[in-house]
DNA sequence: GAAGATTGAATAATCAATCTTC
DNA sequence: GAAGATTGATTATTCAATCTTC
């Protein structure tokens, strides 16, 4: 087994997958994949804080804070006071953010179909899912 | 099959894998993973040009050119005239670049062992290799 | 005119320092 | 003192414009 080849394939496939979906979302919905990903986390996380976004996407706190800044700038999210902890804010989708999510969702799923489902057999896709969750579950500490 | 979950696991595992190896290479060998990756391509590509690096790593030509600039700055590679085409240069490893590659190689492989081999059964790792090359081979055009 | 490469500007990420609240 | 977040500086990436050579 050529580990370096696996690494190379993994990194490059991820790069091309990301870029391909990003291009589609930008042209169809005027939203970058990075922003869409943040919107998804916010939609899925009750009382979502900046910290939760950083954790969910494996990015830094500073990066998450700036991503929220950008989304707030274009009116897709809003910060409101967190009644439970005055150090943080709750980040919420605005109505416009909701609409973006609903519009971009189908395009996102369509790209995933074309790039993950189409090239693989049903069983291979299922195996990929199992393998990836095993890899994430057994990742070395604090890397 | 939850495609969004597969996407999320893929992207996040790649991020954590990259960051983990990058941290190791920086602290052990003072070389970022991005640079190490470029050195590998140069070592494996006869008469390597900037264009070849961009193609091998799925990055832009401009990005590859600047990566070579940085490596040249620290003395790990050198550009020399391309006798076959005066528009481009041949990028070569210097003796120092060779040494970096030889020193960082074992650390790189060690991390791959810990992060890819250790968490998976032999057959799962083999499946992952097959699936990733299928995905790369059947990627949609020019994305 | 096309291909290879370089450069400067814009974008987005990390990191360190700092501030407020727990 | 620790935790959550913000900000400024650095780093690295893409993109567009440009230049040279094919």
């Amino acid at each position: 087994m050529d580990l370096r080849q696996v690494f190379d394939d993994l990194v490059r496939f991820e790069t091309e997958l990301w870029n391909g979906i990003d291009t589609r979302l930008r042209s169809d919905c005027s939203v970058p994949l990075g922003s869409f990903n943040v919107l998804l986390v916010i939609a899925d996380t009750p009382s979502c804080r900046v910290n939760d976004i950083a954790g969910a996407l494996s990015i830094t706190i500073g990066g998450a804070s700036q991503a929220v800044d950008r989304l707030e700038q274009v009116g897709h999210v809003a910060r409101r006071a967190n009644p439970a902890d005055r150090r943080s804010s709750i980040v919420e989708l605005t109505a416009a953010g909701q609409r973006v999510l609903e519009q971009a969702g189908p395009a996102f799923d369509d790209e995933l179909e074309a790039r993950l489902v189409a090239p693989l057999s049903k069983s291979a896709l299922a195996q990929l899912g199992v393998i990836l969750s095993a890899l994430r579950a057994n990742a070395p500490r604090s890397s």
Side-chain angles (χ1 to χ4, degrees), chain A:
Chain A
M1 177 54 49
D2 185 346
L3 286 181
R4 292 186 179 191
Q5 184 65 51
V6 175
F7 173 78
D8 193 53
D9 284 342
L10 177 64
V11 171
R12 288 195 50 196
F13 176 68
E14 192 271 349
T15 300
E16 290 162 10
L17 178 67
W18 181 280
N19 291 343
I21 299 177
D22 184 56
T23 299
R24 168 74 178 274
L25 292 187
R26 283 176 192 269
S27 64
D28 278 22
C29 320
S30 302
V31 60
L33 177 53
S35 293
F36 176 73
N37 237 351
V38 173
L39 295 179
L40 275 182
V41 172
I42 296 170
D44 290 345
T45 308
S47 298
C48 184
R49 300 161 307 151
V50 167
N51 206 7
D52 298 317
I53 297 171
L57 299 177
S58 296
I59 61 177
T60 60
I61 308 280
S65 179
Q66 288 171 326
V68 171
D69 287 347
R70 288 191 296 275
L71 285 168
E72 203 166 25
Q73 209 97 35
V74 297
H76 293 168
V77 310
R79 288 173 166 98
R80 73 169 169 79
N82 183 354
D85 188 337
R86 271 181 301 181
R87 291 172 300 180
S88 60
S89 303
I90 304 293
V91 184
E92 289 175 327
L93 293 179
T94 61
Q98 275 285 0
R99 279 195 300 275
V100 168
L101 207 50
E102 285 159 17
Q103 190 197 357
F108 181 62
D109 293 329
D110 183 53
E111 287 293 321
L112 291 181
E113 277 287 329
R115 295 168 187 279
L116 288 176
V117 178
L120 297 177
S121 69
K122 265 210 156 40
S123 74
L125 179 57
Q127 283 168 6
L128 178 62
V130 171
I131 290 170
L132 285 174
S133 45
L135 285 170
R136 289 212 35 215
N138 292 19
R141 279 302 113 234
S142 89
S143 58

